[in-house]
Amino acid sequence: MNRPQIDMNANLPQTHQPYKVMAIYKFAELPDAAEIQPLLAEFCRARAIKGTLILAPEGINGTVAGTAEAIDALAVWLLAGPAFGGRLEGAEVKYSGAGEMPFLRMKVRLKPEIVTLRAPEANPAKAVGTYVEPADWNGLIERNDVVLVDTRNDYEVGLGTFQRALDPATKNFTEFKDYVAQNLDPARDKKVAMFCTGGIRCEKASSYLLSQGFEEVFHLKGGILKYLEMVPES
């Protein structure tokens, strides 16, 4: 098996800072999450890595910090080590720097879902919408035949959103199912595009829409954070 290429400096500022921060998520089939949990916790604590990682049968999500050497070792362990057996290859990973350790302790939590929707029919590891790169996003959402939906909660939408985006007015992500049932129709809404902050919620939302009979579903890869990083303000 070819080992995945791991870019340890992606998104990392050039200025040297004593701590390296890694944010990661990946939908993957992890029925052995409970067995991996103590191994992952031990690996991180042995290297003074701190933060929170969530493991679930549907994947991994979280943010941790440590020395550059420790975080680089963790990235290799997650993406190419035997514990996950390559199941995290292609994970959405972002790096940044920190002048001080941003977390107090290390926690590896076992949960039913890495992002709570309470809809078992939504399984991004098996079926997911079409990823749209930030550079192609503006062209997609300018089309008149595309319904644009903001999957974030009402507080986040209030901070700013894309023009023409529908606001589900949800307090939490579990309410998104009710919004879809009451406002969207696969027979009428032939093309639906969705976005969120970092990509994880809209990825799961796209899987949910596919399970409900929607045929063409798109979501912004990397979310708004990647869009702001890659697309010029003008």
Side-chain angles (χ1 to χ4, degrees):
M1 180 180 69
N2 293 329
R3 288 186 176 272
Q5 296 298 310
I6 305 171
D7 186 355
M8 301 297 186
N9 297 308
N11 316 113
L12 188 63
Q14 295 302 310
T15 56
H16 175 73
Q17 293 181 293
Y19 293 99
K20 187 172 183 177
V21 182
M22 178 176 69
I24 181 171
Y25 88 81
K26 170 71 174 178
F27 287 103
E29 297 283 357
L30 300 179
D32 54 345
E35 287 74 35
I36 296 175
Q37 180 192 22
L39 302 176
L40 178 55
E42 180 182 359
F43 186 94
C44 291
R45 288 172 183 147
R47 292 159 180 79
I49 296 172
K50 296 180 181 180
T52 299
L53 291 170
I54 298 172
L55 283 179
E58 70 172 7
I60 187 172
N61 180 33
T63 304
V64 293
T67 64
E69 292 78 11
I71 294 299
D72 290 349
L74 176 60
V76 172
W77 195 86
L78 291 172
L79 302 179
F84 289 97
R87 288 173 291 176
L88 299 186
E89 184 175 353
E92 188 73 23
V93 182
K94 296 183 178 69
Y95 296 104
S96 58
E100 299 179 356
M101 169 56 74
F103 306 111
L104 296 177
R105 60 186 64 88
M106 184 65 219
K107 294 176 285 187
V108 180
R109 293 177 172 171
L110 191 64
K111 291 189 174 184
E113 302 175 77
I114 59 173
V115 55
T116 303
L117 183 59
R118 299 193 180 98
E121 62 270 33
N123 186 344
K126 291 184 177 179
V128 72
T130 302
Y131 296 94
V132 181
E133 295 291 339
D136 302 322
W137 182 247
N138 287 347
L140 174 68
I141 66 176
E142 288 172 357
R143 291 170 47 177
N144 293 328
D145 62 338
V146 173
V147 177
L148 180 62
V149 180
D150 192 332
T151 67
R152 300 172 301 156
N153 63 40
D154 55 358
Y155 171 77
E156 294 170 305
V157 174
L159 297 176
T161 188
F162 288 101
Q163 292 180 2
R164 293 198 312 111
L166 300 177
D167 175 12
T170 55
K171 295 293 183 183
N172 57 66
F173 191 47
T174 58
E175 297 174 0
F176 184 73
K177 303 188 299 292
D178 294 333
Y179 173 80
V180 172
Q182 297 168 14
N183 297 275
L184 299 178
D185 182 352
R188 179 193 65 217
D189 304 313
K190 299 296 186 180
K191 296 180 175 64
V192 181
M194 296 177 293
F195 63 94
C196 55
T197 303
I200 186 169
R201 273 176 290 179
C202 48
E203 186 168 341
K204 191 161 189 179
S206 75
S207 182
Y208 178 73
L209 259 64
L210 290 175
S211 75
Q212 301 305 300
F214 292 83
E215 295 183 2
E216 291 192 71
V217 183
F218 307 88
H219 55 103
L220 176 58
K221 184 173 173 56
I224 292 174
L225 295 178
K226 178 63 72 172
Y227 175 88
L228 294 176
E229 178 186 328
M230 303 296 295
V231 178
E233 184 177 353
S234 58

